[in-house]
Amino acid sequence: MRRHAPRRILGVLATATLAFTLLSAAPTAGATPTAAASVASTTRSADAAAQPLSTSTPVVFVHGYTGSASNWTTAMSVFRLNGWSSSNLFAYEYNSYGNNITNAQGLATFVNTVKARTGASKVAIVNHSMGGLVSQYYLKVLGGNTSVSHLASIAGANHGTTYAGACLIYTTCQQMYPGSSFIAQITAGDETPGTTRYATWYSACDGIIIPYTSTRLDGATNNNVLCQTHIGYLTDTVVLGQIADFVAS
């Protein structure tokens, strides 16, 4: 997820530490799509390798609270190894300390830019942590589901997390707290609107999304990961490989 908390606040939130490195670490709202960098390797499972994958769909990665495009280095490497071109991998950056409505509007503009650049009619979205709120608002409230073929939510704060109580001085954290009007808006009625295919990955070992079941969406394929930490997902090549297979399906 630019403006940094005052030192005295950071001292108080020290125990929230890395945790809120958490909901991932970002500088400034990205109006220009950032194509991916190269990284280390991983291999697809034998079953996945045997199946032809559709890898022409552009993928937009949406980080979490205090996150940045750098959170997706491993994920982009996994997607490239699964057949994606770097020119079809993009990372959206936004203001972690602002307002998730504004962040979702920025995502809408970003997706339109990606579609124009690639000539694709739809993109896939892969989000992490608070990126789930940004994505859900875009798909449900702003009608973005018509531009999204697949939505993969990794440890998304889709129904909120009590851990956000550590940063309630920020609007985004107020919106991320369970029971907020923002959460009520994106969870009312159909949580998975349109023809978009939805899937989530969540784990009891998360430690940041509390309760950990908050990530699940009604109408989605919800994948219970045996044990993975909140930040650990970002370098979990097994889960990321499953997500690449899902997006390619």
Side-chain angles (χ1 to χ4, degrees), residues 83-163:
W84 267 267
S85 164
S86 292
S87 61
N88 270 340
L89 300 175
F90 303 88
Y92 170 61
E93 293 188 332
Y94 59 88
N95 179 10
S96 291
Y97 311 104
N99 187 311
N100 281 323
I101 294 175
T102 302
N103 293 335
Q105 292 168 339
L107 177 58
T109 299
F110 189 86
V111 167
N112 287 338
T113 302
V114 168
K115 287 167 59 181
R117 173 179 292 190
T118 62
S121 60
K122 292 188 177 185
V123 306
I125 288 179
V126 177
N127 67 58
H128 178 244
S129 197
M130 192 172 78
L133 300 188
V134 176
S135 303
Q136 287 301 105
Y137 194 93
Y138 165 57
L139 266 73
K140 180 168 182 172
V141 181
L142 302 181
N145 63 83
T146 59
S147 291
V148 179
S149 63
H150 296 71
L151 184 286
S153 187
I154 310 171
N158 301 324
H159 293 88
T161 172
T162 58
Y163 209 92

Side-chain angles (χ1 to χ4, degrees), residues 44-53:
R44 219 195 298 164
S45 68
D47 286 346
Q51 300 173 11
L53 301 178

